[in-house]
């Protein structure tokens, strides 16, 4: 969950102005930015090679008092998973891109093979040996007092999911089969250098056969100072939303932590898909999702799958509790707020749209980052939509423009 602090907004606007001015001179009078904002690397790209097959699942951190640049964490692969395992998801390795405005991005070459910042384990027996994917990244700041001065430290904690080489038996209309890469669990890694290098700290949430085959795609709700009474804020747990699949339905589950993410306790079902008989757009269930502060509560944008067409669309839900402890109610009459290929998305999204990420801007507008691709032979890429009003109906969103790079 992301929002942009007031203290850094003016500095970022000043940093962005010169770069955006040059870019505008190179474009036509129509300043809409069509197409994706982050694409797979080319085979000749020296910076990163792990992501030449696809990029997806943007996790976007606005500037902070510690880092004046925007950061995007994402995952991708080069056409297969670790240990030459065939892939059926765009997961694999994790990368980093940076920006002055959240619109134009430059990939950062990580220290690991292919320019990745986080990789699957080299041990074939590890819980994250086959593929990994970033789920969320939260900044943890602490202040300690010594005899002479106060020391301020800032860490980034990445909650990621990974899969082992365990086989999972799957039933389908054509019979049963076994799949490698489906047994996913959630782990954590810590960075002390603004996301350049990471140290893994093991599994923090395991899968549960009562929920499904895996626990994956974690998103965190961390209590923010100033959202309510300070004493109440300190008592609120960290909350995690993740999803699983039981062979028939995708469903969202929850967990909570009272020790800042060190240990987690599952809290049960949070949100599930709509009526299959009514052919709801999310009748096969709900998978990836994003959460951000919105109108005195929390907004969730989620990826829903239709059981008949298997089409992926984006829907929305709302929680009145700013800490995420209440019930979630679907918005827009439980209809999608964004559909593949429909305005303002563009043709490059015709096949699928998914892995949403929300940034609530200080002016009340919303940025919706997502992945998409045009067809089965296309490569998954990352785009962004903007709602100037902060409304979420399908007509509220627009493409980004060069003006957004100036006014950030």
């Amino acid at each position: 969950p992301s929002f942009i602090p007031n203290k850094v907004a003016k500095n970022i606007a000043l940093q962005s102005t010169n770069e955006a001015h040059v870019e505008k001179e190179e474009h036509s009078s129509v300043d809409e930015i069509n197409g994706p904002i982050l694409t797979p690397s080319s085979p000749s790209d020296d910076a990163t090679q792990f992501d030449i097959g696809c990029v997806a699942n943007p996790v976007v951190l606005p500037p902070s008092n510690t880092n004046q640049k925007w950061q995007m964490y994402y995952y991708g692969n080069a056409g297969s998973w670790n240990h030459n395992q065939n892939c059926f998801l765009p997961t694999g390795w994790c990368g980093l891109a940076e920006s002055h405005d959240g619109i134009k991005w430059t990939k950062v070459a990580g220290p690991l093979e292919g320019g990745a910042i986080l990789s699957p384990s080299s041990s074939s027996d590890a819980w994250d040996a086959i593929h990994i994917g970033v789920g969320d990244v939260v900044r943890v700041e602490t202040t300690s007092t010594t005899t002479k001065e106060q020391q301020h430290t800032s860490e980034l904690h990445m909650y990621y999911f990974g899969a082992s080489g365990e086989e999972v038996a799957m039933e389908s209309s054509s019979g049963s089969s076994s799949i490698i890469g489906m047994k996913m669990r959630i782990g954590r890694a810590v960075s002390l250098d603004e996301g350049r290098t990471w140290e893994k700290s093991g599994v923090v949430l395991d899968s549960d056969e009562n929920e499904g085959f895996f626990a994956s795609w974690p998103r965190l709700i961390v209590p923010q100072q100033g959202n309510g009474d300070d004493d109440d804020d300190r008592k609120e747990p960290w909350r995690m939303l993740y999803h699983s699949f039981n062979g028939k339905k995708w469903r969202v589950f929850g967990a909570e932590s009272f020790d800042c993410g060190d240990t987690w306790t599952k809290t049960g079902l949070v949100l599930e898909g709509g009526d299959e008989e009514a052919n709801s757009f999310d009748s096969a269930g709900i998978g990836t999702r994003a959460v951000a502060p919105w109108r005195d509560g929390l907004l969730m944008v989620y990826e829903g799958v239709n059981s008949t067409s298997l089409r992926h669309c984006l829907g929305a839900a709302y929680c009145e509790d700013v800490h995420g402890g209440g019930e979630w109610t679907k918005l827009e009459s439980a209809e999608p707020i964004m559909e593949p290929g429909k305005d303002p998305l563009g043709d490059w999204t015709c096949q699928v749209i998914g892995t949403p990420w929300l940034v609530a801007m200080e002016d009340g507008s919303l940025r919706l980052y997502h992945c998409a691709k045009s067809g089965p032979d296309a490569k998954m890429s990352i785009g962004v939509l903007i709602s100037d009003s902060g409304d979420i109906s399908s007509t509220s969103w627009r493409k980004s423009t060069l003006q957004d790079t100036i006014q950030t």
Side-chain angles (χ1 to χ4, degrees), residues 296-332:
D296 299 322
L298 293 176
L299 172 66
M300 178 195 296
V301 172
Y302 65 85
E303 183 177 353
V305 184
N306 180 264
S307 56
T308 302
S309 66
L310 301 182
R311 187 177 67 156
H312 294 231
C313 298
L314 299 184
Y318 179 73
C319 180
E320 293 183 351
D321 181 1
V322 295
H323 300 297
E327 293 186 1
W328 290 87
T329 302
K330 293 181 182 179
L331 302 177
E332 297 298 309

Side-chain angles (χ1 to χ4, degrees), residues 43-59:
S44 60
D45 192 334
D46 293 331
T48 56
Q49 288 289 293
F50 79 91
D51 59 352
I52 62 174
C54 56
V55 295
N57 200 43
V59 174

Side-chain angles (χ1 to χ4, degrees), residues 187-198:
R188 185 176 66 173
V190 176
S191 174
L192 304 179
D193 57 5
E194 293 300 319
R196 266 56 178 178
T197 60
W198 296 84

Side-chain angles (χ1 to χ4, degrees), residues 144-221:
S144 59
T145 303
T146 65
T147 55
K148 294 183 179 180
E149 59 182 5
Q150 283 191 334
Q151 291 185 333
H152 178 81
T153 59
S154 179
E155 300 177 353
L156 291 175
H157 290 195
M158 178 190 292
Y159 289 81
Y160 71 100
F161 57 97
S164 68
E166 298 170 74
E167 294 187 357
V168 172
M170 299 283 291
E171 297 289 338
S172 66
S173 57
S174 58
S176 60
S177 60
S178 295
I179 297 178
I180 293 177
M182 183 71 80
K183 189 68 172 180
M184 291 176 274
R185 300 170 173 89
I186 295 171
R188 185 176 66 173
V190 176
S191 174
L192 304 179
D193 57 5
E194 293 300 319
R196 266 56 178 178
T197 60
W198 296 84
E199 182 175 348
K200 296 178 180 179
S201 55
V203 174
V204 296
L205 197 75
D206 205 343
S207 58
D208 183 341
E209 63 180 12
N210 294 316
E211 297 174 347
F213 299 122
F214 54 76
S216 62
W217 282 271
R219 303 292 206 206
L220 268 63
I221 302 171

Side-chain angles (χ1 to χ4, degrees), residues 59-206:
V59 174
V60 179
L61 303 188
S64 68
N65 295 326
T66 306
N67 189 341
Q68 301 241 313
K69 288 184 178 181
W70 291 70
Q71 288 191 319
M72 179 193 292
Y73 296 88
Y74 65 97
Y75 56 61
N77 63 59
S80 63
W81 284 337
N82 200 27
H83 303 295
N84 295 316
Q85 182 68 42
N86 290 334
C87 61
F88 54 86
L89 294 169
T91 52
W93 290 257
C94 298
L96 171 65
E98 291 185 328
S99 171
H100 288 298
D101 49 45
I103 304 295
K104 299 187 301 295
W105 295 87
T106 300
K107 292 180 182 177
V108 175
L112 304 180
E113 184 178 358
I117 60 167
L118 194 69
S119 297
S121 175
S122 58
S123 170
S124 60
D125 296 328
W127 71 272
D128 59 351
I130 302 301
H131 67 97
I132 63 169
V134 57
D136 206 339
V137 177
V138 297
R139 186 175 295 279
V140 179
E141 298 184 353
T142 59
T143 301
S144 59
T145 303
T146 65
T147 55
K148 294 183 179 180
E149 59 182 5
Q150 283 191 334
Q151 291 185 333
H152 178 81
T153 59
S154 179
E155 300 177 353
L156 291 175
H157 290 195
M158 178 190 292
Y159 289 81
Y160 71 100
F161 57 97
S164 68
E166 298 170 74
E167 294 187 357
V168 172
M170 299 283 291
E171 297 289 338
S172 66
S173 57
S174 58
S176 60
S177 60
S178 295
I179 297 178
I180 293 177
M182 183 71 80
K183 189 68 172 180
M184 291 176 274
R185 300 170 173 89
I186 295 171
R188 185 176 66 173
V190 176
S191 174
L192 304 179
D193 57 5
E194 293 300 319
R196 266 56 178 178
T197 60
W198 296 84
E199 182 175 348
K200 296 178 180 179
S201 55
V203 174
V204 296
L205 197 75
D206 205 343

